Amino acid sequence: AVQLAACLVAVSARRRCTMSTSAINARDFRPKDKAVGSWDPNSSRWDEIVVSFVQPSWGITANMEHTAATKEHPQRTRFTYPLNITGVKYQSEAELKGLRINDVLVAVKSDNPPTADFIEVVPEEDYDRLPGGKQYVADDVRDLLMRGGACTVKVKREWKNQRCEECGSDRIIEQTQMGDLTCEDCGTVHRSRLISMASEWRTFADDDNKSDPNRTGGPENPLLSGDGMQTMIQTGGGRMASDVLGTGANLSKSQYRSGGQTNDRALQEGYAQIQAMCDRLNLNLAISMEAKELFKVVEDQKQAGRKVGKDLEAIVASTVFIGCRIKNVPRTIKEILTVVKCTKHDLGKTLKAVTQLVQEVTGKVISSSKPSDVIERFCSHIKTSHDVTKAATEITDRAFEITSVAQGRVHASVAGAAIYMACLLREGQGTSSGLPLCKAVSEASGAAEATIRDVYKGLHAERHKLVPEWFATKEQIQSMSEH
C-alpha cells in the first residue's frame, strides 16, 4: 500500500510538471456545447480548381440580371457578385470538366489571344449598385465570360469535411426519424442512434384531445415579449369549471384578469391585422415580416411611455407602408387606404409619428418614393409592352428633373399621365382589356381621369423634352393629341 501511494504521488507530480511545461495545442480545443466525435453539418473547406475551355459555348449559366438604363449607360446585362454557377448543361464541356452547380468563379483569363495573368472576379463599386448591398462584376470580366471560346477559369468549390468512406461523396445527411447519418449517394450508414436535440413529444392519459400531441416548449419567437418564452395556463372544462378553485380554467381566468401576457395579446392582434392587410395588398412574406418587426418596435416604445397614436389600424397601416418603402416596393397612400377604415388625416398623422420613431430607434433608412417606382406595377395592370413601361419611366424622371410640370403633383397622377402619353404613341386609345385608355390607366393608378388628363396637358406642352428619342420620331411627337 505504501509503494502504491508513492507511485500515485510520483505520477501526479509528473503530470503536473508536464501540464505546466507543454504548450496548448489549438486542435485539442472544442466548444463546450460540442461533444467529442459529434457531427457538425456546417464543417467544410474550400478548394480551388483550374479548368481550361476550348469550345465556343461552355454549357454553364451564372447569376445575372438586366439592369435598367441610366444617364451614363443603356440597359445592359450584368453578373451579380459573388459569381455562382447556377446551371450546368448536360454533356457540355463544363460537365465533362467536372464543374457543378454552386461552384464560384473567382478568376478568368483568355487563351486566344493568350494572356499571362488572371483577371480576378471582384465586385465593382459604381453608381449602379442597388440598395441592400447588391454588387456587380466588372464589365471586362462579364465580356470575357460571355464571349466564351478558349479560356481558363479558376473555381472555388465547397467540400464538406464529413465524407463518405465508400464513395467519397460529401452529401452526408442526418435522418432524424431513424437517427442515422447516411450518405445520400450510396446509402452507407456511417453512424446510428444519433441523439436528437429537438423538442420531445409528450402525451398524457387524461388529455382531452389525445390525437393532438404537444411539444414540451414552443420555439422562440422574437416577435413576442421575452422571445415568447412565457407560460400560458391552458383552459379546459367549460365555463362552469372556471368558478371551481384549483382547476385549469380557473387559473387561466385569474391569469387573464391579472394582466398576464397583455402586451403579447396586443402584439398578436396587430400581427393578425398586418397579415390580413398584406394578403389583401398581395405583399410577400418579407414585407409582412418587416412590418411585424416595426410594429413590435412601436409597441415596445408605447410600453415605455412614448405617444404614437391610439388607433391600432392606423399604426398597422403605417408599419405596412414603411415596410414597403424599406423593401423597395412602395405603395401609395391611396392603396393603403383601400384596405383600412381610418381616415387619410389619421393615417398621415400616425405615419409621421411612426416614421420618426422607427428612424430614431432602429436607424433604418426609409427612402422617399418616386413616381417611377410604381410605373412598372401600373403598366403590368393594363398589360402594356416593355418599351412602353421603359418610356413611361423615363418620361416621369424627366418631368421632375427637366421641367416643373410635375412639381406639387401626386406621384400616382404623374405616373398615370406618363403611362397615358407613352401608350398614345404606341398603342392608341384602346387597351387589351377593351377599356378606353384613360379609364384603364385611372383604374390602375387610382387617380381620377380628369386629373390624368390635366397632368397630361402639362406634359404635352413639354413633350419634345420628355419623350425619349429612341421611343418615337419627332414627327410622331409633334402630331400627338392634346387630349
Coordinates of all heavy atoms in Angstrom, one line a residue, residues 233-236 241 244 246-253:
I233 N -51.5 29.3 -19.1 CA -52.3 28.3 -18.5 C -53.4 27.9 -19.4 O -54.2 28.7 -19.8 CB -52.8 28.7 -17.1 CG1 -51.7 29.1 -16.2 CG2 -53.7 27.7 -16.5 CD1 -52.1 29.7 -14.9
Q234 N -53.5 26.6 -19.8 CA -54.5 26.2 -20.8 C -55.8 26.1 -20.1 O -56.0 25.6 -19.0 CB -54.1 24.8 -21.3 CG -55.0 24.2 -22.4 CD -55.0 25.0 -23.7 OE1 -53.9 25.6 -24.0 NE2 -56.1 25.2 -24.3
T235 N -56.9 26.6 -20.8 CA -58.2 26.4 -20.3 C -58.8 25.1 -20.6 O -58.3 24.3 -21.5 CB -59.1 27.5 -21.0 OG1 -59.1 27.3 -22.4 CG2 -58.6 28.9 -20.7
G236 N -59.8 24.7 -19.9 CA -60.5 23.4 -20.1 C -61.6 23.2 -19.1 O -61.5 23.7 -18.0
A241 N -66.5 25.3 -15.1 CA -65.2 24.9 -14.4 C -64.4 26.1 -14.0 O -63.5 26.0 -13.1 CB -64.4 23.9 -15.2
V244 N -64.6 26.9 -10.3 CA -64.1 26.0 -9.3 C -62.6 26.2 -9.0 O -61.8 26.2 -10.0 CB -64.3 24.5 -9.9 CG1 -63.8 23.5 -8.8 CG2 -65.8 24.3 -10.2
G246 N -58.8 25.9 -8.3 CA -57.8 24.9 -8.5 C -57.9 24.3 -9.9 O -56.9 23.6 -10.2
T247 N -58.9 24.5 -10.6 CA -59.0 23.9 -12.0 C -58.2 24.8 -12.9 O -57.9 25.9 -12.7 CB -60.4 23.9 -12.5 OG1 -61.0 25.2 -12.5 CG2 -61.3 23.0 -11.5
G248 N -57.9 24.2 -14.1 CA -57.1 24.9 -15.1 C -57.8 26.1 -15.6 O -57.2 27.1 -15.9
A249 N -59.2 25.9 -15.8 CA -59.9 27.1 -16.3 C -59.9 28.2 -15.3 O -59.9 29.4 -15.7 CB -61.4 26.6 -16.6
N250 N -60.0 27.9 -14.0 CA -60.0 29.0 -13.0 C -58.7 29.7 -13.0 O -58.6 30.9 -12.9 CB -60.3 28.4 -11.7 CG -60.3 29.4 -10.5 OD1 -59.4 29.5 -9.8 ND2 -61.4 30.1 -10.4
L251 N -57.6 28.9 -13.1 CA -56.2 29.5 -13.1 C -56.0 30.4 -14.3 O -55.4 31.5 -14.3 CB -55.2 28.5 -13.0 CG -55.1 27.7 -11.7 CD1 -54.1 26.5 -11.8 CD2 -54.8 28.6 -10.5
S252 N -56.5 29.9 -15.5 CA -56.4 30.7 -16.7 C -57.2 32.0 -16.6 O -56.7 33.0 -17.1 CB -56.9 29.8 -17.9 OG -56.8 30.6 -19.1
K253 N -58.3 31.9 -16.0 CA -59.1 33.1 -15.8 C -58.4 34.1 -14.9 O -58.4 35.3 -15.2 CB -60.5 32.7 -15.2 CG -61.5 33.9 -15.0 CD -62.8 33.4 -14.5 CE -63.7 34.5 -14.2 NZ -65.0 34.0 -13.6

